[in-house]
Amino acid sequence: MNLPAITQHLREVVGAPNLSTNTASYVIHGQTPALVVAPGSAEELARVVAFCNEVKLPLVPWGGGTRQLWGRPLATRQFLVVTTRRMKRVLIYNPDDLTISVEAGITLQALEEQLAAHHRMLPLDAPWPKRSTIGGILATAVDGPRRLGYGTARDLLIGIRVVESTGRITKAGGMVVKNVSDSDMMKLYLGSLGALAVIVSANFKLLPRPRAASTLTCFFAQPQAAFGLAEALRESSLTPTAVEYLEGWSPAGPTGGITLLVRTEGLPAEVERHVQDVAALASQAGALQVVRYPEPGHSFDWVELCNMAHPKKVVPNEMTVRLSCRPGELAIALDGLRSLATKHGLTLRINARALSGVAYLHLGGSAEAQRTWHSAALAAQPQLAVIAASPQLAAELPVWGAPPANLALMQRIKHEFDPDQLLNPGRFVV
């Protein structure tokens, strides 16, 4: 079937205002879709996907577009984008039960605004919350600073509904927090980059919004001292919700300094005790200065901190990678990667979840230096994913890191769910 016939059929499914050939805003690694389709319900989305399966037209799920730099270029020349921007309803909300069900296209900020009215929260901390959608957050399994205190989407998700590559709507889990029905299926879709199915809606367990919160920003001369404080926090009885390591940044922008930010949430008396104890530990670790936020004359935006780790577009001459390792090995791993950056003449800025074993490294320099650094870094740290790079490097590099040990199993699962390679083809590990 030719493109005009495809366009006409999809226009009949979603309505003329919800299909566009103006696709310049949906470029992925230099590749432009033929069409952008915006279904308004799970049923419309299922019809779109079923039709794409019938005519063998690949499609790319699109939420807010904040993480379309992830993955490899598409392994196809013609494709369409299916955006969930119209699918943004709250389906079920039980404030007293601490559960909610929402469509995949709702943004994190819009959801948080509704939850705040009942003093509830969903602490996912995704970057760019004004644009990040729930479907995109789940498909990329993106993390945030408060994963230390509240976990990740894997810990908060209790149910999911998806459209498979055939157009069939399926679900796993439910609306009960302790429900374990099909829980493994839920986890399968997390972080799969839309390569197995298109997420339609999701159910979450919620948490009460804390009554108080405070952040201590601890400035150090050397990384070792900052990680010394992080280790002291790990061994203490304190329970911070976030411990973030910054190198080459400050709350006001790049400075080249070393900073450890410690966030505490809870009852006011509990927060005050944590602030005092963390400040004492910071002094023992050799902090040059400790600043508390909020306080008169000072402010700090954790949303902006989260955004810093995730560029929405390719920065010229810069590559961003995500490192995953054992939490206790993070400081040593960063030492090695820092030395490699110096060796190859690259500038380096780091955002790290200091007690979670996750770091985002921003490397500036020539493409050749980035390529050489990545090769050496990957040999030392196999779980090193490229999340932002020039289209050329994204096509050349193993952007998902070294092949996982269960690659053959992942390939079989992909073939079972999407035998014709129509969902985000070529972009994920499989």
Side-chain angles (χ1 to χ4, degrees):
M1 187 178 292
N2 58 32
L3 186 59
I6 292 172
T7 303
Q8 178 58 34
H9 181 88
L10 292 175
R11 186 178 291 117
E12 293 171 0
V13 173
V14 301
N18 304 309
L19 183 143
S20 177
T21 56
N22 183 10
T23 60
S25 299
Y26 296 86
V27 175
I28 302 170
H29 292 305
Q31 298 167 284
T32 304
L35 301 168
V36 176
V37 186
S41 66
E43 291 69 29
E44 281 189 5
L45 176 57
R47 290 177 62 190
V48 169
V49 175
F51 177 70
C52 288
N53 182 278
E54 178 185 336
V55 300
K56 304 308 176 192
L57 177 63
L59 63 90
V60 174
W62 189 289
T66 59
R67 284 175 291 283
Q68 291 293 347
L69 295 177
W70 289 30
R72 297 184 297 243
L74 285 152
T76 182
R77 299 187 67 177
Q78 188 176 61
F79 64 98
L80 64 80
V81 159
V82 177
T83 172
T84 57
R85 66 171 180 260
R86 295 176 61 213
M87 300 172 59
K88 53 185 178 183
R89 291 175 286 266
V90 174
L91 303 174
I92 304 172
Y93 181 26
N94 299 314
D96 293 337
D97 293 341
L98 294 173
T99 56
I100 194 167
S101 177
V102 297
E103 289 186 311
I106 191 170
T107 65
L108 183 60
Q109 178 169 298
L111 176 55
E112 279 295 312
E113 288 172 353
Q114 296 199 41
L115 296 177
H118 297 94
H119 306 289
R120 303 291 185 257
M121 69 173 181
L122 181 64
L124 287 178
D125 283 355
W128 312 106
K130 289 183 180 180
R131 286 180 51 188
S132 287
T133 63
I134 289 299
I137 291 168
L138 297 179
T140 56
V142 67
D143 72 330
R146 290 189 297 171
R147 64 175 290 166
L148 178 67
Y150 301 110
T152 63
R154 184 184 183 93
D155 305 292
L156 299 168
L157 183 70
I158 58 175
I160 197 167
R161 195 171 180 223
V162 302
V163 173
E164 297 179 351
S165 66
T166 59
R168 183 177 68 166
I169 300 175
T170 60
K171 64 178 182 178
M175 282 295 292
V176 181
V177 172
K178 294 185 178 180
N179 183 9
V180 295
S181 173
D182 299 321
S183 61
D184 289 340
M185 289 298 297
M186 283 193 297
K187 296 171 185 175
L188 198 61
Y189 300 120
L190 284 173
S192 64
L193 210 70
L196 300 180
V198 182
I199 298 172
V200 171
S201 62
N203 311 336
F204 297 96
K205 62 180 179 182
L206 304 174
L207 294 169
R209 190 173 293 270
R211 296 184 184 180
S214 189
T215 297
L216 282 184
T217 304
C218 310
F219 298 91
F220 293 90
Q222 299 294 332
Q224 294 82 356
F227 277 101
L229 173 56
E231 187 59 31
L233 290 169
R234 188 201 310 277
E235 294 176 352
S236 75
S237 60
L238 300 174
T239 55
T241 55
V243 178
E244 290 288 292
Y245 171 85
L246 299 181
E247 181 176 332
W249 302 86
S250 79
T255 66
I258 307 297
T259 310
L260 198 74
L261 297 108
V262 183
R263 181 179 175 90
T264 302
E265 300 176 5
L267 297 173
E270 177 188 11
V271 169
E272 286 303 314
R273 179 178 66 84
H274 270 68
V275 166
Q276 294 175 16
D277 290 350
V278 172
L281 289 175
S283 179
Q284 294 170 19
L288 303 176
Q289 183 185 10
V290 177
V291 177
R292 180 178 179 177
Y293 304 106
E295 67 176 20
H298 296 284
S299 63
F300 186 80
D301 189 346
W302 277 87
V303 172
E304 182 59 30
L305 173 68
C306 195
N307 293 347
M308 284 161 55
H310 296 269
K312 287 189 297 186
K313 59 183 180 180
V314 175
V315 178
N317 302 315
E318 185 169 287
M319 174 173 67
T320 301
V321 301
R322 182 182 191 269
L323 167 70
S324 301
C325 65
R326 291 189 178 96
E329 298 174 356
L330 180 59
I332 295 174
L334 291 179
D335 282 344
L337 298 177
R338 185 186 300 109
S339 296
L340 283 174
T342 301
K343 177 182 178 180
H344 296 292
L346 295 169
T347 61
L348 177 65
R349 288 173 287 128
I350 300 173
N351 307 65
R353 321 277 184 247
L355 294 180
S356 301
V358 175
Y360 296 87
L361 292 80
H362 311 265
L363 298 120
S366 69
E368 183 56 36
Q370 292 174 10
R371 187 181 295 109
T372 306
W373 177 92
H374 183 270
S375 178
L378 188 60
Q381 301 293 335
Q383 294 190 17
L384 193 70
V386 178
I387 63 170
S390 67
Q392 181 181 2
L393 283 179
E396 291 178 15
L397 300 178
V399 296
W400 294 109
N406 61 347
L407 179 60
L409 174 61
M410 295 175 69
Q411 290 171 334
R412 291 200 299 272
I413 292 173
K414 170 66 173 177
H415 181 74
E416 185 69 25
F417 277 76
D418 184 21
D420 295 312
Q421 296 284 322
L422 297 177
L423 300 178
N424 240 349
R427 297 191 66 200
F428 193 47
V429 180
V430 290

